Amino acid sequence: MRHDQADETAEAEQAGGHEDVAAADAVMMFLSRYEGHFTDALPSHVDKGAFFAAVRAVLPTLTRCTPASVLQALLTSARFGLVPDGRHAAIVRDGALATFVPMYQGYVDLMYRSGRVESVHVGLIYEGDEWEFTPTAPAPLDFTHKPRPELPKEQRGAPVLAYAFAWLKGGSRSQVALLNREEAEEIRDGWSKAYQRAQEAGTHDSTWHTHFDQMWQKSAIRRMSKLVPTSAELRALETVEDAGEAGTPQILHAPDPESAQLVAEAERAHTASEGSQDGPAATPLLLRKRSGRKRSQPKRTTRRDRRGRARA
């Protein structure tokens, strides 16, 4: 490549980077107008500064998403109290839509919040690890895993199994959920619409593409969640994730649902979000603060006819 061509390429990339930053700043300014609504949605135990710092960091990756979908995904994340930092949750681009994706640590957090789980264990077994699984043996003798983190990666080998189990309040332990790579790929190929869309588009940017090991472990956790007492919030998280995979509005299934009117507005905003990046007028309605007061009716004005009689 000639120097002038290289310079032009560098300038184009730099200009594109500036455009992304400017777009992210514009969206952040827009979101700041509704900061109070996000604060109301966030549970008290979540650090507001950490949440908005994560939002600020992820916005440059969402500049091609419609504003309505960005608002919807972030508000969903806030209602579950999961910071979109890539560990507890992620906000990813799926075409023109921003989608909330809970990561496996987010599932673990909600299990702890249920008050029924003492501890959750999730991990990957590598080829060089020592492990044994005897399902007929009593817990905890049925499963052992001795990882070898001191070994170099090439000696540990590739991951071969994901597992998850939980110790419950009272001292009992759940069954162990094991998931090999083939099973994880079957879940990905048969269940993840986002993965299928990214494959067809050739973008290869779905969460299964970029964070396969985390999605593998999350699949083990979801399988394990069927074996332990769960909370309504955890079941809602699974429903919300499924809605995101299907490309339907996630906020409708999030905790603390709004009124029927707000749900209808969210549906209209989702439909409108398929339009231009300028932002549909219905977008702010997703974040309208709830109020117990009835809307005041506009005052009726009267006019008088030629004889001085009042009429509406």
Side-chain angles (χ1 to χ4, degrees):
M1 182 181 293
R2 295 183 308 175
H3 289 297
D4 54 347
Q5 291 177 326
D7 292 342
E8 290 176 0
T9 301
E11 290 176 359
E13 291 177 350
Q14 186 176 11
H18 289 322
E19 290 176 0
D20 287 345
V21 172
D25 288 344
V27 176
M28 194 66 197
M29 289 180 62
F30 177 74
L31 293 177
S32 66
R33 293 162 50 190
Y34 304 96
E35 183 174 350
H37 299 270
F38 282 99
T39 301
D40 291 342
L42 284 168
S44 58
H45 68 274
V46 178
D47 183 86
K48 276 67 174 182
F51 183 86
F52 285 106
V55 169
R56 193 173 292 107
V58 77
L59 280 180
T61 67
L62 305 175
T63 54
R64 298 181 183 180
C65 297
T66 57
S69 67
V70 174
L71 289 170
Q72 187 168 225
L74 290 174
L75 188 58
T76 301
S77 186
R79 287 186 180 173
F80 280 105
L82 297 178
V83 177
D85 56 4
R87 292 181 60 251
H88 300 84
I91 309 296
V92 300
R93 183 172 69 88
D94 184 3
L97 299 179
T99 303
F100 163 74
V101 179
M103 307 306 283
Y104 81 83
Q105 187 60 51
Y107 274 89
V108 172
D109 288 352
L110 264 62
M111 286 185 179
Y112 283 136
R113 288 185 215 166
S114 71
R116 303 175 182 181
V117 174
E118 188 69 36
S119 63
V120 178
H121 300 266
V122 58
L124 290 171
I125 298 176
Y126 292 81
E127 292 173 330
D129 294 349
E130 297 179 20
W131 66 280
E132 185 175 351
F133 179 54
T134 308
T136 55
L141 303 178
D142 57 341
F143 177 74
T144 58
H145 175 215
K146 298 180 180 179
R148 301 291 303 279
E150 77 279 4
L151 295 179
K153 289 184 178 180
E154 59 271 14
Q155 292 186 30
R156 289 198 70 184
V160 294
L161 282 171
Y163 66 88
F165 62 88
W167 285 97
L168 309 178
K169 298 289 186 180
S172 62
R173 201 213 64 193
S174 73
Q175 297 181 36
V176 179
L178 289 171
L179 200 70
N180 63 35
R181 187 181 185 91
E182 182 181 4
E183 291 174 303
E185 290 174 348
E186 288 175 353
I187 292 173
R188 177 198 66 188
D189 298 343
W191 172 76
S192 178
K193 299 295 190 297
Y195 173 80
Q196 296 168 13
R197 288 190 292 269
Q199 282 286 97
E200 293 173 359
T203 56
H204 299 165
D205 57 356
S206 74
T207 315
W208 274 103
H209 284 99
T210 59
H211 296 81
F212 180 86
D213 287 354
Q214 289 195 46
M215 298 295 285
W216 186 359
Q217 293 175 84
K218 182 173 67 175
S219 297
I221 290 177
R222 289 193 60 162
R223 179 173 291 185
M224 186 266 289
S225 69
K226 308 295 190 296
L227 309 173
V228 298
T230 57
S231 63
E233 190 178 26
L234 187 63
R235 292 192 294 271
L237 186 65
E238 293 180 345
T239 302
V240 162
E241 183 175 14
D242 293 344
E245 289 288 346
T248 59
Q250 296 175 293
I251 195 173
L252 306 183
H253 309 286
D256 192 21
E258 303 286 354
S259 64
Q261 180 182 1
L262 184 57
V263 170
E265 289 171 346
E267 291 175 335
R268 289 196 296 272
H270 175 70
T271 301
S273 72
E274 297 176 357
S276 70
Q277 265 286 1
D278 296 334
T283 296
L285 297 178
L286 285 170
L287 298 175
R288 179 177 292 162
K289 185 172 291 186
R290 288 167 296 164
S291 173
R293 296 175 299 177
K294 295 182 179 180
R295 292 183 181 177
S296 58
Q297 297 295 326
K299 294 182 178 180
R300 300 182 63 184
T301 58
T302 59
R303 293 180 297 171
R304 296 184 178 275
D305 59 19
R306 293 179 179 179
R307 298 182 181 180
R309 292 176 298 185
R311 63 179 181 175

